[in-house]
Structure formats: C-alpha cells, structure tokens
C-alpha cells in the first residue's frame, strides 16, 4: 500500500505543478490536524453531505457519534428527509431551530451549502468538512441512481449514449431535476453547476471553499480519509470504523468507454477542477501532518478493527442484494436502476453487541427517523414508507 501511495504522490506532484503557490490550503490545517496532546474530541461538527461520494457511510459515523456523546443533531423539520435540498439551505429547515437556536452539535443531512444560514444553526467553533469523489465514477453512479428522476438520464439509453451528446438530453428548462446530471458536487457546495468554466471564477470558488471548510476528504481514498478525519476531530478509532453503506451491486455498474471518461472531464469540468484541486490538497496535508508511513500503519489498524467487527456482526461478512436482506428494518431505500446493498446480522449476539451491530448497518433514512423520534418525542414520526427495526419505545 505504501508503494502505491508513493506512486500516487509522485504522479500528483508532477500532474499538479502549480504556477502560483501562494494560495491558502484550507483553514490553517497544521494546527487542526496536529492538535495539542492530550486533545479533546470535537463535538461541534458540520459535514456537508455531497451526493454519491460515500457520504451515507459518513452520515452513519456521525449519527453513532451523536448517540455516544448524547449530542443534539440538526435534523430535517416535519416530514422532510433532507435539509431542504435542492433549495439553498435555510435555518428554518431544521426541526425546532426557533427553540434550540445555535445550540446544535452536529449537522450532517443532505443540504445545499449556504454558509450564512448554516452559521445561524452551528456554534462559532464548529469544525466544517466535506467529501469529494472522482467525477468520472461519480457521474456513472449518479446516472444509475437518478435514472428515473433526472430527465437527461431518463431519455437516454445508457450513460455512454448520454455522454456522447449531453446537450441533446440536458435541457435548462429541467434545471432543478437535472442537477444530478452535471457538476453535482459544485451544486452541493452552493454554486451554479451550469456556470461557465472561467479560470478566475473557479479560483475564487476554490478559495471560498478553503475558507469555509477545515477539511475536504476524498472518497477514492476512503480509509485514508477516515484516518485524517479521526486525527482532525481527536476521535477514537472506533468512532470512524464503518461498514460501507448505500453501495450498489456490481451488476448495475455501467462500463464507461475511454471517450466517455474524457467527455466527463469536459462536461463536468467544474467538478473535475474541484476534485483535482482538493485531491492535491488532501495528499499535501497527509505529507505535512501524518506522513505516509504512519498513515499506512493507521489504515492497517482501521482495516483490522473493521474486519473484527464484520466477523462479530455479519452473517455473510459482506453486503448482500436487496432480495437477500432478511430483516426488512435493515432494507436500504432503493433508487433508479441501482440494487442498493444491505447486511444480515448474526442471530446469536448478546443484546449490547446486537445493538452496536445494528447501528453500524442501519440505513440512513431509518437512522435519521429513529434519532428524530428520540430527539423530538412530542413530534409526529417521519412517514418514510420503510419498515423500522426498532423505535424509541423499545429502548
């Protein structure tokens, strides 16, 4: 692994030769990522949950942390399942914002980033982070997941046909439904996903994101990202251990042609430049704060612990297709042409282990609904149309 990481860095250092090296690298990351010893776990955290970037797995990590420390999470109001997305976020989208004010600890549900409104909800010392994914794999994933929703995807036969001539299918009139079809990450960060690819504009946006966020993770290096996050937040290893959630079966992945891959870089050029920039920053932070050798050791610890938990919790030691999930309470929401995988738990677990395992495999809508009922018991339950594994009355 260290060899491949070194190769990656050599490639990146050559590929990302910057003419101007005087730009800011996120909010003074050296101070953030090498906290004074002993450090105290950060409990005021805002995660911008971007789409199709392994963000559901991070949401589960955040929700488990909320329960461990008995924190207050900013959840969608009433029957909403996200914080107003795709509208620009408003503080009023949060349940009981008028009563609770700026006293939420964690915010991690889908929203379109709007910093001035987020700051009304989150404390001044909040740690902000998000995650990006290579736009090539992201667009293919988005195509399958939103196939029935985005008109541009619905009327094209497959992802390669769509990319051969995107403007044939992508119409500005369907702007709100087509956000998933072009520069989706740019949109999630609050910017115009149909903006012109202008160097000055892109530099200004990148600088603004660096000022608003302490850390940007990379989904393509998820385990390395979890180590960076653990260190930045001064969390324990078990706080960032995960089972991969909301992934889909391999038979629903469409193979992109080399031409399609190149076309994505042009069609989603804003996302491509966003990703390249923060991929470079990600590895630079690792070099300057952890180093590759220590990173490799910590990643190995994480994977060993993850394997232990999988052996303890899981019947099949891996995710299974929706038709093979035995407990309907653990069935993830299904979308588009994707077969979203889930897990089966072992049956002979003691009650404490079972509850720990259940929470690690809990799909995001069910977990969000459970926390909502726990935090707002006097409010009407969320009507998800999904079976719940357990409710607060069984606590």
């Amino acid at each position: 692994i260290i060899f491949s990481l070194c190769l990656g860095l050599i490639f990146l250092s050559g590929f990302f030769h910057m003419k101007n090296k005087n730009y800011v690298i996120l909010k003074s990351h050296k101070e953030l990522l090498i906290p004074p010893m002993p450090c105290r776990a950060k409990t005021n955290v805002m995660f911008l949950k971007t789409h199709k970037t392994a963000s559901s797995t991070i949401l589960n990590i955040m929700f488990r942390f909320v329960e461990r420390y008995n924190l207050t999470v900013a959840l969608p109001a009433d029957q909403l399942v996200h914080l107003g997305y795709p509208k620009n976020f408003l503080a009023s989208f949060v349940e009981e914002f008028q009563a609770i004010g700026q006293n939420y600890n964690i915010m991690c549900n889908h929203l379109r980033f709007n910093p001035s409104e987020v700051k009304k909800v989150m404390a001044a010392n909040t740690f902000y982070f998000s995650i990006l994914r290579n736009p090539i794999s992201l667009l293919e994933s988005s195509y399958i997941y939103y196939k029935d929703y985005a008109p541009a995807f619905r009327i094209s036969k497959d992802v390669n046909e769509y990319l051969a001539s995107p403007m044939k299918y992508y119409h500005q009139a369907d702007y709100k439904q087509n956000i998933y079809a072009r520069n989706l990450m740019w949109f999630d960060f609050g910017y115009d996903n149909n903006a012109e690819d202008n160097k000055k504009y892109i530099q200004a946006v990148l600088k603004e994101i660096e000022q608003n966020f302490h850390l940007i993770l990379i989904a393509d290096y998820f385990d390395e990202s979890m180590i960076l996050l653990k260190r930045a937040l001064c969390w324990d290893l078990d706080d960032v251990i995960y089972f991969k959630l909301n992934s889909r079966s391999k038979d629903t992945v469409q193979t992109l042609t080399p031409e399609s891959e190149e076309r994505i870089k042009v069609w989603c050029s804003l996302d491509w430049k966003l990703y390249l920039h923060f991929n470079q920053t990600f590895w630079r932070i690792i070099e300057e704060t952890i180093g590759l050798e220590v990173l490799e050791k910590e990643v190995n610890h994480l994977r060993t612990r993850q394997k232990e938990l999988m052996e303890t919790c899981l019947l099949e030691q891996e995710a299974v297709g929706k038709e093979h999930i035995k407990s309907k309470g653990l069935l993830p929401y299904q979308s588009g042409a994707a077969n979203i995988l889930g897990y089966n738990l072992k049956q002979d677990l003691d009650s404490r282990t079972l509850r720990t395992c259940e929470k690690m495999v809990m799909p995001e809508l069910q977990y969000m609904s459970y926390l909502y009922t726990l935090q707002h018991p006097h409010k009407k339950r969320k009507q998800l149309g999904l079976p719940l594994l357990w409710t607060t009355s069984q606590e």
Side-chain angles (χ1 to χ4, degrees):
I1 192 173
I2 195 140
F3 176 70
S4 62
L5 288 175
C6 288
L7 271 182
L9 279 168
I10 291 163
F11 163 75
L12 287 166
S13 61
F15 190 77
F16 295 114
H17 182 67
M18 303 285 285
K19 286 178 186 170
N20 173 20
K21 294 186 179 174
N22 296 322
Y23 62 92
V24 182
I25 306 175
L26 301 174
K27 289 182 172 180
S28 55
H29 66 266
K30 279 192 180 176
E31 292 83 354
L32 284 159
L33 294 169
I34 313 179
M37 295 300 289
C39 63
R40 183 182 290 177
K42 288 184 171 66
T43 53
N44 291 336
V45 185
M46 191 275 167
F47 169 54
L48 175 61
K49 187 180 189 294
T50 47
H51 287 79
K52 313 315 300 167
T53 58
S55 61
S56 294
T57 302
I58 296 180
L59 187 89
N60 180 274
I61 287 169
M62 303 298 287
F63 280 168
R64 283 186 282 125
F65 190 80
V66 163
E67 288 203 85
R68 178 183 172 183
Y69 283 95
N70 194 24
L71 303 176
T72 305
V73 59
L75 292 168
D78 303 318
Q79 293 303 309
L80 289 176
V81 294
H82 44 60
L83 293 164
Y85 193 90
K87 294 175 183 169
N88 276 329
F89 174 74
L90 296 174
S92 58
F93 295 155
V94 174
E95 187 62 78
E96 293 200 343
F97 164 69
Q98 299 300 338
I100 296 173
Q102 208 178 12
N103 293 310
Y104 295 90
N105 302 111
I106 302 289
M107 177 184 270
C108 55
N109 286 82
H110 272 309
L111 59 83
R112 188 172 184 215
F113 194 60
N114 185 4
S116 60
E117 288 290 309
V118 171
K119 281 172 186 165
K120 290 179 184 176
V121 177
M122 301 305 291
N125 68 344
T126 295
F127 184 94
Y128 287 78
F129 79 101
S130 189
I131 189 165
L132 300 173
R133 179 184 180 185
N134 188 317
I136 294 171
S137 55
L138 185 142
L139 191 123
E140 186 278 329
S141 175
S142 187
Y143 185 92
I144 302 299
Y145 198 83
Y146 298 108
K147 175 72 173 163
D148 299 334
Y149 181 79
F153 292 159
R154 199 166 54 235
I155 57 178
S156 53
K157 187 179 77 192
D158 58 41
V159 69
N160 291 304
E161 182 182 273
Y162 171 67
L163 288 164
S165 183
M167 288 310 288
K168 184 176 166 185
Y169 308 103
Y170 185 94
H171 305 305
Q172 292 282 9
D174 301 320
Y175 163 70
K176 282 193 173 166
Q177 289 167 288
N178 271 335
I179 51 175
Y180 305 103
R182 187 183 198 190
N183 294 312
L184 178 54
M185 295 186 293
W186 199 264
F187 183 87
D188 286 350
F189 273 87
Y191 302 100
D192 178 5
N193 62 321
N194 290 305
E196 194 183 332
D197 184 342
N198 172 289
K199 190 177 178 183
K200 195 176 173 185
Y201 165 68
I202 286 170
Q203 287 303 318
V205 167
L206 294 177
K207 191 174 179 185
E208 196 166 79
I209 291 171
E210 286 176 340
Q211 287 165 350
N212 286 328
F213 289 86
H214 297 97
L215 185 63
I216 304 290
L217 305 175
I218 301 293
D220 312 77
Y221 304 99
F222 194 81
D223 288 349
E224 292 82 357
S225 290
M226 290 306 96
I227 298 305
L228 210 51
L229 184 67
K230 175 181 84 74
R231 283 174 161 254
L233 296 176
C234 193
W235 287 10
D236 297 335
L237 183 66
D238 269 14
D239 291 328
V240 296
I241 294 292
Y242 67 92
F243 297 157
K244 196 175 177 185
L245 297 180
N246 211 36
S247 59
R248 61 195 160 118
S249 59
K250 288 187 170 64
D251 61 350
T252 63
V253 177
Q254 293 186 6
T255 305
L256 292 161
T257 64
E259 294 79 16
S260 290
E261 291 190 1
E262 290 306 311
R263 284 172 185 142
I264 290 170
K265 295 176 190 178
V266 178
W267 174 242
C268 297
S269 64
L270 303 176
D271 268 5
W272 181 243
K273 282 164 184 172
L274 178 71
Y275 175 76
L276 292 184
H277 178 82
F278 284 108
N279 193 12
Q280 179 198 17
T281 305
F282 176 81
W283 289 106
R284 185 176 301 151
I285 291 173
I286 284 171
E287 270 191 296
E288 293 179 4
T289 60
I290 306 177
L292 289 176
E293 232 173 286
V294 175
L295 177 72
E296 184 191 19
K297 281 179 189 164
E298 294 207 20
V299 164
N300 286 338
H301 287 155
L302 183 142
R303 289 174 180 164
T304 301
R305 180 68 181 129
Q306 183 186 50
K307 193 167 182 285
E308 280 173 15
L309 280 167
M310 290 181 97
E311 286 168 1
T312 299
C313 295
L314 304 180
L315 199 58
E316 291 94 352
Q317 304 297 298
E318 62 179 5
V320 298
K322 59 187 176 188
E323 65 281 3
H324 298 298
I325 298 169
K326 293 171 183 173
S327 168
K328 294 308 164 199
L330 294 177
L331 184 71
Y333 175 74
Q334 303 292 320
S335 176
N339 176 357
I340 304 300
L341 306 176
Y343 295 94
N344 287 317
L345 299 176
K346 288 182 176 175
Q347 297 301 299
D348 56 347
L349 301 171
D350 65 81
S351 59
R352 189 179 171 187
T353 306
L354 176 64
R355 185 52 73 94
T356 300
C357 294
E358 282 174 341
K359 288 183 177 174
M360 288 200 69
V361 301
M362 181 62 53
E364 68 179 85
L365 290 177
Q366 285 97 315
Y367 210 152
M368 184 269 296
S369 173
Y370 164 70
L371 287 180
Y372 181 86
T373 305
L374 202 63
Q375 197 166 286
H376 308 289
H378 57 291
K379 294 275 183 180
K380 186 185 173 188
R381 287 180 185 276
K382 301 256 185 205
Q383 304 301 304
L384 297 178
L386 286 165
L388 298 177
L389 190 67
W390 25 253
T391 61
T392 50
S393 61
Q394 295 171 302
E395 281 294 291

